[in-house]
């Protein structure tokens, strides 16, 4: 399992470590905000398009080969800019990293499910989510230190070494998990399975959690600066959010496996806490920011392992890669849609109203989950 946790850390560290440092340290490559936006969108855009495809490929040929190929491609794409160091190759390297992550991220999720019994899925996905959260937390910090020490090329070089090392580790430690026989599936069969509430409810909850997490990380520092807080205080708010999400995930997974938490109660509680946290973020001053960050972190930390465990338990094992790829697509859409919704509402009123709009939307989702499951 440890190489799979390391793979989750790698994709999170690579995504946030580079994204947080593109704007301030690459004046030769990032010549405008439009160029910066394009570079930021390349990674997520590749994941949105390719994750379902690589998930389906993992079901066909086995998740382990797709995992190893994705890690090797990630190392090669990272080494590309570390060696070439030109604006054009930066675009190519970032696109290659996103495409490679699209391969090894859903494959790692599928292997987490295949290598653990159903009774241990909560713990397994809780630990996997914990190390991804650590990557999201440390990416901007360690990435900034590396860029300060050796420019962006050093960060890409470290990512190349990291991807290669995790790939070798996975090749040595992750057992061969052969693909399972699959019944013939038509496009209509796939549409029916993806429209089933057993898939839609956890995926929608995961998308909502990612939307809140992304909006919190992006806009809570803006609220802090508007309240006259310094960079240390605003940075602490983001650290509280990511730290709470990381700490809660393994505990939520254990509670799910032990029967102290159900899928229904876990998702509903996580959505409710996330909605309340976004409401607290509307309050002025440091207290509202910190309480909002903590509640958003706890809520998303509850949703993530419960949602993935629910998907794994309701999916035939021979279709795990396809399901995890489609679920990851939902998360990517939430990652982009949350900040866009907050920004759109804030542009016509205030940032507090943007937080409120996203909080109300997630709160309605929590209420709908209670009503649907109760019925």
């Amino acid at each position: 399992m440890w190489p799979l946790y390391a793979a989750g850390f790698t994709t999170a560290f690579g995504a946030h470590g580079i994204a947080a440092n593109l704007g301030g340290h690459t004046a030769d490559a990032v010549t405008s905000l439009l160029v910066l936006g394009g570079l930021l969108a390349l990674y997520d855009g590749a994941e949105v398009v390719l994750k379902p495809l690589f998930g389906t490929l993992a079901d066909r040929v086995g998740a382990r080969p797709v995992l190893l190929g994705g890690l090797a491609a990630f190392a090669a794409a990272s080494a590309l800019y570390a060696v070439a160091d030109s604006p054009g190759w930066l675009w190519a390297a970032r696109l290659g990293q996103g495409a490679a992550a699209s391969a090894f991220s859903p494959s790692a999720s599928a292997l987490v499910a295949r290598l653990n019994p159903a009774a241990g899925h909560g713990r397994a996905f809780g630990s996997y989510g914990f190390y991804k959260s650590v990557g999201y937390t440390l990416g901007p910090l360690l990435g900034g230190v590396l860029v300060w020490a050796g420019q962006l090329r050093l960060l890409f070089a470290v990512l190349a070494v990291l991807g290669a090392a995790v790939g070798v580790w996975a090749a040595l430690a992750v057992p061969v998990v052969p693909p399972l026989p699959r019944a013939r599936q038509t496009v209509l069969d796939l549409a029916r399975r993806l429209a089933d509430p057993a898939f839609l409810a956890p995926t929608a909850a995961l998308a909502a959690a990612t939307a809140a997490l992304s909006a919190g990380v992006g806009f809570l520092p803006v609220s802090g600066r508007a309240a006259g807080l310094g960079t240390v205080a605003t940075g602490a708010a983001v650290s509280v959010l990511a730290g709470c999400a990381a700490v809660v995930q393994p505990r939520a997974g254990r509670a799910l496996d032990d029967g102290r938490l159900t899928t229904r109660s876990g998702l509903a509680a996580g959505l409710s806490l996330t909605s309340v946290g976004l409401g607290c973020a509307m309050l002025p001053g440091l207290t509202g920011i910190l309480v909002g960050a903590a509640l958003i972190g706890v809520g998303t930390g509850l949703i993530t392992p419960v949602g993935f465990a629910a998907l794994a338990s309701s999916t035939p094992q021979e279709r795990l890669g396809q399901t995890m790829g489609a679920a990851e697509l939902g998360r990517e859409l939430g990652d982009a849609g949350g900040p866009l919704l907050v920004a759109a509402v804030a542009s016509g009123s205030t940032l507090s109203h943007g937080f409120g709009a996203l909080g109300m939307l997630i709160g309605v989702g929590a209420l709908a989950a209670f009503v649907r499951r109760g019925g």
Side-chain angles (χ1 to χ4, degrees), residues 14-188:
H16 279 206
I18 294 177
N21 292 282
L22 277 174
H25 302 278
T26 53
D28 58 331
V30 181
T31 55
S32 68
L33 290 177
L34 183 60
V35 172
L36 176 60
L39 282 169
L40 292 174
L42 269 180
Y43 193 98
D44 291 330
E47 290 189 310
V48 166
V49 174
L50 296 175
K51 272 186 174 179
L53 299 179
F54 280 118
T56 302
L57 179 64
D59 290 333
R60 185 178 299 275
V61 303
R64 186 174 181 270
V66 180
L67 172 77
L68 299 180
L71 287 168
F74 185 87
S78 302
L80 186 65
Y81 180 73
V83 174
D85 188 25
S86 69
W89 287 114
L90 176 60
W91 286 81
R94 196 63 177 154
L95 179 61
Q97 285 181 328
S102 303
F104 71 78
S105 182
S107 300
S109 299
L111 284 167
V112 168
R114 287 287 304 274
L115 294 176
N116 289 276
H121 279 167
R123 286 179 172 85
F125 280 108
S127 298
Y128 181 72
F130 170 80
Y131 288 103
K132 286 195 77 169
S133 295
V134 171
Y136 287 132
T137 304
L138 294 182
L141 175 62
L142 294 183
V145 172
L146 290 171
V147 171
W148 171 80
Q151 300 301 317
L152 200 63
R153 291 180 69 185
L154 178 59
L155 176 55
F156 271 87
V158 169
L159 288 173
V161 173
L162 177 63
V166 175
V168 172
W169 189 11
L172 296 174
V174 176
V176 175
V177 182
L180 297 172
R182 300 180 305 154
R184 181 179 177 84
Q185 177 182 254
T186 65
V187 175
L188 183 59

Side-chain angles (χ1 to χ4, degrees), residues 239-368:
S239 297
V240 166
L241 192 158
C244 287
V247 170
V248 167
Q249 289 190 58
R251 290 167 171 77
R254 288 195 295 269
L256 181 67
D257 290 341
D258 295 339
R260 293 178 283 116
L261 191 69
T262 65
T263 299
R264 170 195 170 189
S265 61
L267 294 180
L271 289 168
S272 300
L273 286 170
T274 303
S275 177
V276 173
L278 288 165
C280 291
M282 299 173 66
L283 302 176
L286 181 61
T287 301
I289 294 172
L290 289 178
V291 173
L295 289 176
I296 293 171
V298 172
T300 56
L302 268 173
I303 293 168
T304 303
V306 175
F308 275 115
L311 289 169
S313 65
S314 64
T315 302
Q317 288 208 341
E318 66 272 16
R319 302 288 183 187
L320 275 172
Q322 187 180 69
T323 295
M324 293 304 175
E328 291 279 0
L329 170 60
R331 296 187 77 198
E332 295 297 335
L333 294 176
D335 195 14
L340 284 175
L341 174 62
V342 172
V345 175
S347 64
S349 53
T350 65
L351 182 56
S352 294
H353 288 93
F355 283 131
L358 182 58
M360 287 180 62
L361 183 62
I362 294 175
V364 168
L367 180 61

